[in-house]
């Protein structure tokens, strides 16, 4: 339900930032917290408004907002923004080799925000995610795809006293016609830095066709042909603290 999702989203940073690792997670942990969600707002939309991606995209941005608010009161405790998206990718079509339809869905990690204790992690899922990546070998064995590149997006983490984690580059070449749907965030606005740290790099969705790159929006549905390559370049985390001089 929307209420359960809101509690989980708000409660996750509240518990991780305000308590120690030894603190149990129970109703007492959340007793001081009151969540107010106005009816008809983005987080509790009324019909017939369309809602999608609440548990994968909206939840990430709620965490960004909650941690950003906490940073005003607890500036030496709260980390900078992480990638802020799960980079959802869905691919469907008909596999000519197996003569069967196929459908594939994955989420792609990125950079975690740096904090007062150190740099952010690179190439990870954060906050509301709990999924692992699909191994290249399993993907290519099961689907009519070829993974052209899977690497850290070097330099995408925000600079700072502690540097934000780097995002990922995942490039998939299609071996047959397919329909591709992308649901992603942080393509227009960058993950924020804190205490003088710089923001992480924004993400990019790029279709490579006949050697030419075409930028795609954060939310897109496209038709691809054999030889086309989709390049997902995920956001880096924000930096924490002013970068060293010189």
């Amino acid at each position: 339900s929307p209420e359960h999702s809101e509690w989980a989203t708000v409660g996750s940073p509240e518990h991780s930032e305000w308590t120690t690792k030894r603190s149990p997670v129970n109703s007492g942990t959340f007793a001081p917290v009151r969540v107010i969600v106005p009816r008809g707002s983005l987080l509790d939309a009324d019909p017939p408004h369309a809602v999608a991606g609440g548990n994968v995209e909206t939840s990430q941005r709620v965490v960004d907002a909650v941690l950003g608010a906490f940073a005003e009161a607890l500036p030496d405790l709260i980390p900078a923004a992480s990638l802020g998206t799960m980079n959802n990718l869905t691919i469907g079509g008909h596999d000519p080799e197996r003569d069967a339809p196929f459908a594939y869905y994955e989420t792609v990690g990125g950079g975690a925000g740096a904090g007062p204790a150190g740099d952010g992690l690179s190439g990870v899922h954060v906050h509301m995610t709990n999924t692992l990546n699909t191994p290249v070998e399993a993907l290519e064995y099961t689907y009519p795809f070829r993974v052209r590149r899977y690497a850290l997006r070097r330099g995408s983490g925000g600079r700072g006293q502690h540097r934000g984690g780097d995002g990922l580059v995942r490039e998939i070449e299609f071996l047959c016609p397919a329909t591709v749907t992308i649901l992603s965030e942080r393509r227009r606005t960058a993950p924020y830095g804190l205490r003088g740290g710089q923001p992480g790099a924004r993400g990019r969705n790029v279709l490579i066709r006949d050697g030419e790159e075409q930028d795609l929006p954060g939310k897109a549905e496209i038709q691809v042909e054999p030889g086309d390559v989709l390049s997902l370049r995920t956001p880096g985390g924000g930096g924490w603290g002013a970068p060293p001089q010189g």
Side-chain angles (χ1 to χ4, degrees):
S1 71
E3 291 80 7
H4 290 160
S5 179
E6 290 145 13
W7 264 107
T9 304
V10 174
S12 175
E14 180 271 334
H15 181 264
S16 63
E17 298 300 334
W18 285 3
T19 62
T20 67
K21 294 181 179 179
R22 297 181 180 179
S23 299
V25 181
N26 54 41
S27 61
T29 305
F30 304 103
V33 179
R34 183 184 180 197
V35 178
I36 302 173
V37 180
R39 185 68 181 270
S41 66
L42 175 67
L43 298 182
D44 192 9
D46 290 323
H49 295 94
V51 293
N55 195 45
V56 289
E57 295 302 291
T58 307
S59 62
Q60 289 278 357
R61 303 310 296 276
V62 170
V63 171
D64 285 346
V66 170
L67 289 179
F70 284 173
E72 296 291 322
L74 304 167
D76 294 322
L77 182 62
I78 304 300
S82 295
L83 68 153
T85 177
M86 298 189 196
N87 304 291
N88 303 270
L89 174 63
T90 306
I91 308 170
H94 189 88
D95 186 344
E97 297 236 343
R98 291 184 168 88
D99 191 23
F102 67 88
Y104 177 69
Y105 169 60
E106 73 172 358
T107 60
V108 184
D119 297 343
L121 296 177
S122 298
V124 294
H125 275 298
V126 299
H127 302 319
M128 303 303 292
T129 54
N130 61 359
T131 56
L132 300 177
N133 65 177
T134 303
V136 171
E137 297 82 1
L139 181 63
E140 294 184 340
Y141 175 81
T142 308
Y143 294 96
F145 313 149
R146 180 178 294 119
V147 179
R148 292 272 299 272
R149 187 182 180 197
Y150 191 29
L152 292 177
R153 189 184 177 198
R154 298 292 184 185
S156 57
R159 294 182 63 243
Q161 177 185 344
H162 298 142
R163 190 179 186 92
D166 285 335
L168 289 168
V169 178
R170 190 163 172 88
E171 295 187 347
I172 297 177
E173 179 182 357
F174 302 96
L175 305 181
C176 70
T179 300
V180 176
T181 303
I182 303 169
L183 180 63
S184 61
E185 281 284 335
R186 289 298 194 194
R187 268 50 183 178
R188 294 184 180 180
T189 60
Y192 58 78
L194 285 177
R195 302 301 302 276
Q198 296 183 356
R202 294 178 295 171
R204 289 183 66 195
N205 305 324
V206 180
L207 176 65
I208 305 173
R209 176 173 288 170
D210 298 328
E212 295 188 3
E213 293 191 355
Q214 174 188 346
D215 277 294
L216 302 173
K219 285 82 174 171
E221 180 177 308
I222 60 172
Q223 304 298 317
V224 295
E225 299 296 332
D228 288 349
V229 176
L230 178 67
S231 178
L232 290 182
R233 305 169 189 181
T234 69
W240 193 95
Q245 298 297 319

